[in-house]
Amino acid sequence: MNPIDPRFKTIIEPFKLKIVEPIPFTTREERETLLKTAGYNLFNIPADKVTIDLLTDSGTGAMSVEQWAAMFRGDESYAGATSYYRLEKVVRDLTGFKHVLPVHQGRAAEKLLFQVFGAQGRRIPNNSHFDTTRAHVEFSGSEAVDLPAPESSDTQAEHPFKGNMDLAALEELLKHDAARVPLVCLTVTNNSAGGQPVSMANIRGVRALCDKYGKPFFLDAARFAENAYFIRTREPGYAERSVRSIAEEMFRLADGCWISAKKDGLVNIGGLLAFNDTGLHDPLRNLLILQEGFPTYGGLAGRDLEALAVGLQEVTHEDYLRYRAATVQYLGSGFEKAGIPVLKPFGGHAVYVDAKRFLPRMPPQQFPAQALAVALYLEGAIRSVEIGTLMFGRKNPATGQDEPAPRELVRLALPRRVYTQAHVDYCVEVAQVIAQGKHLVRPLKIVSEAPILRHFTARLEPLGS
Ligand code: F0G
């Protein structure tokens, strides 16, 4: 519903365009060849061969006039740049955390954090680790323990907070293995579980367990504003609160956070590590200097810090978040109506297609989600990403076979403030074509793969080719 005038239902994009960027068109024949050359891996497709790019919502957003204007103010001093102090104040006001270290993106923060907290034999719980988080935890020698709420495993259950942590499982872990747990992490929204939000009650529950067992609590807050918006719209008691104040409350329940600012920072590059513990400051700062840059720029240009300071304030605007959630819902409902099952309820940044339900007879070893992502590109020049056995499957060392991932999802992530309703309508039309012709989705096999994060570089080919 239109918030200003209830007679009108259309949720219009809350912006108008000032600069336009052409999008490319290719023929199906061209895309057939491109796919072969790319080893059926969409990460290998040049962006100028993609019409609608829903690979990720990370770093792909459009900045506002205020952000572009702020960039001119960028202070490029190596040390003590005014741009840093401006950003530090914005982050402190938003999060309440004392120490603010800029980094070039989320995984840089993960690298620093898990060099300090991770070690052989340690166990790090999270509702669900994102792939780079898991990789950094494991690279440090620790075990990444996913403890998603049980309701997250059913893609059709209409639970409002399917991103939650399983608090009983967390307590079990802490009760029996506290000595090996250096910190507790919580990802908001829960990307690997479908961009699903975490409730304030659940965040409070994690806080209580961290207090009980004396553990620091860190948020992976890449999509904190989308999470706060869902708390406002779905959790009793929050309907009258501003999204900004909900976000402030979320951060104040934790001891620290890291943020890939390429999402809800509304910037194309950037990240943050922020926390209260002064004892952590020196080790993290020293690693930052070694690996990223001096602490007042952390691998970013002064102008990047300025754009981020503005983005962190714009992202909690209600008009923007309402439009964003409505767009995800519109895309997801379109797929569903076309006959392609999607994860419900709709999350914050993406639609997740349930490829296992759509292609029940295709075994995980034939990569049904990747096969569907390839079909979306071949038929409609839409780029999406597989979150299934290609991304998360493990080779069984005994058999050499892939152990299937728990879910076979295709994620269609919406860049922020980039596409219009016409673009989304087109995607839905492509979905209709595929839903009516399941034979267009061809099973795949892996030809070559890297030992970690294989989905980025693996090469595949259609089975039987
Ligand atoms: N944490 C979460 C929850 C993420 O979604 C991401 C990135 C990261 C950490 C790492 O941040 O990319 O800035 O280094 N997610 C992107 C995605 C890549 O497509 O979902 P980064």
Side-chain angles (χ1 to χ4, degrees), residues 56-58 105-107 110 130 132-133 187 191 220 222-223 258 260 262-263 411:
T56 178
D57 63 322
S58 181
Q105 64 181 90
R107 72 198 68 180
E110 291 166 352
F130 180 66
T132 60
T133 321
T187 307
N191 188 5
D220 174 353
R223 299 179 180 85
W258 75 96
S260 165
K262 300 171 74 172
K263 286 82 170 173
R411 186 186 74 174

Side-chain angles (χ1 to χ4, degrees), residues 361-401:
R361 280 188 290 279
M362 196 184 289
Q365 288 79 6
Q366 295 179 2
F367 306 103
Q370 180 66 12
L372 180 55
V374 165
L376 284 164
Y377 178 69
L378 181 59
E379 303 305 327
I382 299 169
R383 176 153 64 175
S384 55
V385 70
E386 188 253 22
I387 302 184
T389 297
L390 182 59
M391 185 182 275
F392 284 126
R394 289 293 152 102
K395 277 256 173 295
N396 181 324
T399 62
Q401 279 279 315

Side-chain angles (χ1 to χ4, degrees), residues 71-85:
M71 286 183 83
F72 277 95
R73 212 168 43 202
D75 176 354
E76 306 301 343
S77 305
Y78 189 99
T82 51
S83 301
Y84 169 76
Y85 295 112

Side-chain angles (χ1 to χ4, degrees), residues 394 449-454 457:
R394 289 293 152 102
E449 62 184 291
I452 51 170
L453 296 174
R454 68 176 181 178
T457 54

